[in-house]
Amino acid sequence: MTEDTIKRRARGLDRAFDILDFLKEIGQPLRPNDIASGIGSPKSTVYELVASLLERRILEPVGKDGHVYLGRQLYFLGQAHLRHFDLSREADQALQEIVSQTRETAQMCLLNGRKYTVALMKEGERHFRISSDIGENAPIPWTASGRLLLAHLSDQQIVDLIDPDDFILPDGERLPVEQFLKEIRQAGIDGFFSFDSVADTFTHCFAAPVKDPGGVAIATLCIVAPRADAKNNYADYRRVLIESANNLARRINE
């Protein structure tokens, strides 16, 4: 295999992942033409890749108008991954324990490239729900977890990683980069971060890191609580979350 062939196949693989990521982000079936426009790729390339992904059941046809969407093969691949992914199995138990001790919604969160995502969630024992869509990407600066998941990076690496537009908060205000970096450094020292959610006006978010043997946060455990309850139970929620994150790290690092 020539070097040009290897590079061409690598570019094709990148484009295939772009297609999958775009469909996940949009959340609905699309025609290949619309996918090509969305990811900025030639239509001929996208049609060829879509045909290959359909053949392998990574994508599936939807309806009679040429729409495609994520296929069931991805579900089976995901299940195979989970069977060998200790973090996911152990985190599920940790989230159950957090909910039982606090009655609040608990989450495990990760970085997904240049974004933040909720990977697992257990609803709190309340009459109303505080929830996020699992797998939906969000700007890192909007999250408490982001301050912990980036703590191992240098200031320049952080600035290079984050899209400048992601510093624009939901209310239209821009988060100063200097403030964000300062909060990251303090969160790294404290092993904890919390703040009133910038995505709504009624919740407070707590986050604690789950670290690998090298001290890098590979995930966070989070509590999302109504602001009044968070204020009244702040010390208890902080203690439960940090203990749970540390216990989870010990179990997966054994």
Side-chain angles (χ1 to χ4, degrees):
M1 188 180 299
T2 67
E3 184 176 349
D4 285 344
T5 300
I6 293 172
K7 289 181 178 179
R8 188 165 56 254
R9 290 190 175 184
R11 287 194 296 270
L13 184 60
D14 285 341
R15 291 279 172 81
F17 280 115
D18 287 341
I19 291 171
L20 299 178
D21 287 340
F22 185 66
L23 286 171
K24 180 177 80 70
E25 181 179 343
I26 297 300
Q28 64 183 30
L30 294 172
R31 295 186 181 93
N33 276 351
D34 299 321
I35 296 172
S37 297
I39 66 175
S41 291
K43 293 179 182 179
S44 59
T45 300
V46 170
Y47 270 99
E48 182 179 347
L49 289 171
V50 165
S52 181
L53 293 169
L54 285 169
E55 182 180 349
R56 289 164 174 77
R57 301 189 305 281
I58 300 298
L59 295 180
E60 291 184 352
V62 179
K64 300 180 180 179
D65 297 323
H67 290 74
V68 298
Y69 196 59
L70 304 175
R72 280 169 285 185
Q73 183 67 11
L74 292 172
Y75 170 79
F76 296 122
L77 292 172
Q79 291 299 305
H81 168 69
L82 289 176
R83 285 195 295 271
H84 296 278
F85 188 36
D86 289 340
L87 175 59
S88 181
R89 288 200 305 271
E90 295 290 347
D92 187 75
Q93 177 184 338
L95 297 182
Q96 289 279 21
E97 293 170 354
I98 291 171
V99 172
S100 69
Q101 293 181 67
T102 67
R103 301 182 63 245
E104 306 292 359
T105 295
Q107 301 172 337
M108 182 184 77
C109 304
L110 306 167
L111 291 182
N112 182 20
R114 303 174 69 187
K115 302 292 183 179
Y116 150 98
T117 191
V118 176
L120 292 173
M121 181 171 62
K122 296 294 180 183
E123 293 282 357
E125 298 174 357
R126 294 182 171 276
H127 296 299
F128 62 95
R129 287 189 169 190
I130 299 174
S131 63
S132 301
D133 291 333
I134 294 176
E136 181 177 346
N137 289 331
I140 297 171
W142 293 16
T143 69
S145 292
R147 274 73 174 172
L148 296 160
L149 292 168
L150 301 182
H152 64 289
L153 300 178
S154 69
D155 288 358
Q156 189 60 54
Q157 287 174 320
I158 293 169
V159 172
D160 291 342
L161 175 70
I162 297 176
D163 188 322
D165 287 343
D166 285 355
F167 288 102
I168 300 175
L169 302 177
D171 62 2
E173 293 292 320
R174 178 175 285 275
L175 175 66
V177 175
E178 296 77 11
Q179 177 184 336
F180 184 59
L181 294 174
K182 183 178 179 180
E183 290 172 350
I184 289 173
R185 298 307 164 214
Q186 191 60 52
I189 294 170
D190 296 340
F192 174 81
F193 189 82
S194 81
F195 68 171
D196 286 342
S197 172
V198 300
D200 60 59
T201 59
F202 58 90
T203 62
H204 189 90
C205 302
F206 300 77
V210 180
K211 296 183 178 181
D212 68 13
V216 174
I218 57 175
T220 59
L221 296 185
C222 307
I223 292 173
V224 184
R227 291 184 182 180
D229 293 294
K231 181 179 179 180
N232 292 334
N233 300 285
Y234 189 92
D236 188 44
Y237 289 2
R238 185 180 190 275
R239 175 188 58 79
V240 168
L241 193 61
I242 292 175
E243 288 179 355
S244 296
N246 289 341
N247 289 338
L248 175 57
R250 280 194 292 270
R251 292 201 297 271
I252 65 174
N253 291 328
E254 287 178 347

